[in-house]
PDB file of all heavy atoms in Angstrom:
ATOM      1  N   VAL A  35      -2.735  34.455 -16.150  1.00 86.00           N
ATOM      2  CA  VAL A  35      -2.465  33.545 -17.276  1.00 86.00           C
ATOM      3  C   VAL A  35      -2.173  32.142 -16.755  1.00 86.00           C
ATOM      4  O   VAL A  35      -1.466  31.360 -17.408  1.00 86.00           O
ATOM      5  CB  VAL A  35      -1.294  34.065 -18.137  1.00 86.00           C
ATOM      6  CG1 VAL A  35      -1.674  35.347 -18.846  1.00 86.00           C
ATOM      7  CG2 VAL A  35      -0.033  34.266 -17.285  1.00 86.00           C
ATOM      8  N   SER A  36      -2.703  31.786 -15.606  1.00 85.00           N
ATOM      9  CA  SER A  36      -2.482  30.462 -15.014  1.00 85.00           C
ATOM     10  C   SER A  36      -2.863  29.361 -15.996  1.00 85.00           C
ATOM     11  O   SER A  36      -3.949  29.386 -16.597  1.00 85.00           O
ATOM     12  CB  SER A  36      -3.315  30.312 -13.741  1.00 85.00           C
ATOM     13  OG  SER A  36      -2.984  31.305 -12.801  1.00 85.00           O
ATOM     14  N   GLY A  37      -1.966  28.385 -16.183  1.00 86.00           N
ATOM     15  CA  GLY A  37      -2.251  27.224 -17.022  1.00 86.00           C
ATOM     16  C   GLY A  37      -2.229  27.491 -18.504  1.00 86.00           C
ATOM     17  O   GLY A  37      -2.467  26.577 -19.310  1.00 86.00           O
ATOM     18  N   LYS A  38      -1.942  28.703 -18.925  1.00 89.00           N
ATOM     19  CA  LYS A  38      -1.917  29.021 -20.353  1.00 89.00           C
ATOM     20  C   LYS A  38      -0.504  28.856 -20.909  1.00 89.00           C
ATOM     21  O   LYS A  38       0.495  29.063 -20.202  1.00 89.00           O
ATOM     22  CB  LYS A  38      -2.399  30.444 -20.608  1.00 89.00           C
ATOM     23  CG  LYS A  38      -3.864  30.674 -20.235  1.00 89.00           C
ATOM     24  CD  LYS A  38      -4.324  32.062 -20.628  1.00 89.00           C
ATOM     25  CE  LYS A  38      -5.777  32.298 -20.223  1.00 89.00           C
ATOM     26  NZ  LYS A  38      -6.695  31.371 -20.927  1.00 89.00           N
ATOM     27  N   THR A  39      -0.438  28.520 -22.173  1.00 88.00           N
ATOM     28  CA  THR A  39       0.854  28.460 -22.846  1.00 88.00           C
ATOM     29  C   THR A  39       1.293  29.889 -23.158  1.00 88.00           C
ATOM     30  O   THR A  39       0.461  30.805 -23.173  1.00 88.00           O
ATOM     31  CB  THR A  39       0.757  27.661 -24.150  1.00 88.00           C
ATOM     32  OG1 THR A  39      -0.117  28.370 -25.065  1.00 88.00           O
ATOM     33  CG2 THR A  39       0.209  26.261 -23.909  1.00 88.00           C
ATOM     34  N   PRO A  40       2.586  30.100 -23.409  1.00 86.00           N
ATOM     35  CA  PRO A  40       3.035  31.441 -23.778  1.00 86.00           C
ATOM     36  C   PRO A  40       2.291  32.012 -24.985  1.00 86.00           C
ATOM     37  O   PRO A  40       1.987  33.200 -25.025  1.00 86.00           O
ATOM     38  CB  PRO A  40       4.521  31.239 -24.083  1.00 86.00           C
ATOM     39  CG  PRO A  40       4.916  30.097 -23.210  1.00 86.00           C
ATOM     40  CD  PRO A  40       3.721  29.173 -23.226  1.00 86.00           C
ATOM     41  N   GLN A  41       1.975  31.154 -25.958  1.00 86.00           N
ATOM     42  CA  GLN A  41       1.246  31.636 -27.144  1.00 86.00           C
ATOM     43  C   GLN A  41      -0.161  32.095 -26.758  1.00 86.00           C
ATOM     44  O   GLN A  41      -0.629  33.149 -27.214  1.00 86.00           O
ATOM     45  CB  GLN A  41       1.158  30.519 -28.188  1.00 86.00           C
ATOM     46  CG  GLN A  41       0.447  30.956 -29.464  1.00 86.00           C
ATOM     47  CD  GLN A  41       0.372  29.844 -30.510  1.00 86.00           C
ATOM     48  OE1 GLN A  41       0.944  28.763 -30.316  1.00 86.00           O
ATOM     49  NE2 GLN A  41      -0.314  30.098 -31.601  1.00 86.00           N
ATOM     50  N   GLU A  42      -0.831  31.315 -25.903  1.00 88.00           N
ATOM     51  CA  GLU A  42      -2.173  31.699 -25.452  1.00 88.00           C
ATOM     52  C   GLU A  42      -2.120  32.990 -24.634  1.00 88.00           C
ATOM     53  O   GLU A  42      -3.009  33.844 -24.753  1.00 88.00           O
ATOM     54  CB  GLU A  42      -2.782  30.568 -24.622  1.00 88.00           C
ATOM     55  CG  GLU A  42      -3.113  29.314 -25.419  1.00 88.00           C
ATOM     56  CD  GLU A  42      -3.508  28.155 -24.545  1.00 88.00           C
ATOM     57  OE1 GLU A  42      -3.175  28.172 -23.332  1.00 88.00           O
ATOM     58  OE2 GLU A  42      -4.157  27.211 -25.049  1.00 88.00           O
ATOM     59  N   ALA A  43      -1.075  33.124 -23.831  1.00 86.00           N
ATOM     60  CA  ALA A  43      -0.914  34.337 -23.029  1.00 86.00           C
ATOM     61  C   ALA A  43      -0.679  35.542 -23.931  1.00 86.00           C
ATOM     62  O   ALA A  43      -1.235  36.628 -23.692  1.00 86.00           O
ATOM     63  CB  ALA A  43       0.239  34.171 -22.053  1.00 86.00           C
ATOM     64  N   ASP A  44       0.146  35.357 -24.988  1.00 84.00           N
ATOM     65  CA  ASP A  44       0.404  36.443 -25.934  1.00 84.00           C
ATOM     66  C   ASP A  44      -0.883  36.898 -26.605  1.00 84.00           C
ATOM     67  O   ASP A  44      -1.145  38.102 -26.751  1.00 84.00           O
ATOM     68  CB  ASP A  44       1.402  35.996 -27.012  1.00 84.00           C
ATOM     69  CG  ASP A  44       2.827  35.889 -26.484  1.00 84.00           C
ATOM     70  OD1 ASP A  44       3.034  36.312 -25.330  1.00 84.00           O
ATOM     71  OD2 ASP A  44       3.699  35.397 -27.208  1.00 84.00           O
TER      72      ASP A  44
END
Side-chain angles (χ1 to χ4, degrees):
V35 293
S36 301
K38 295 185 181 297
T39 65
Q41 182 179 355
E42 292 171 340
D44 287 352

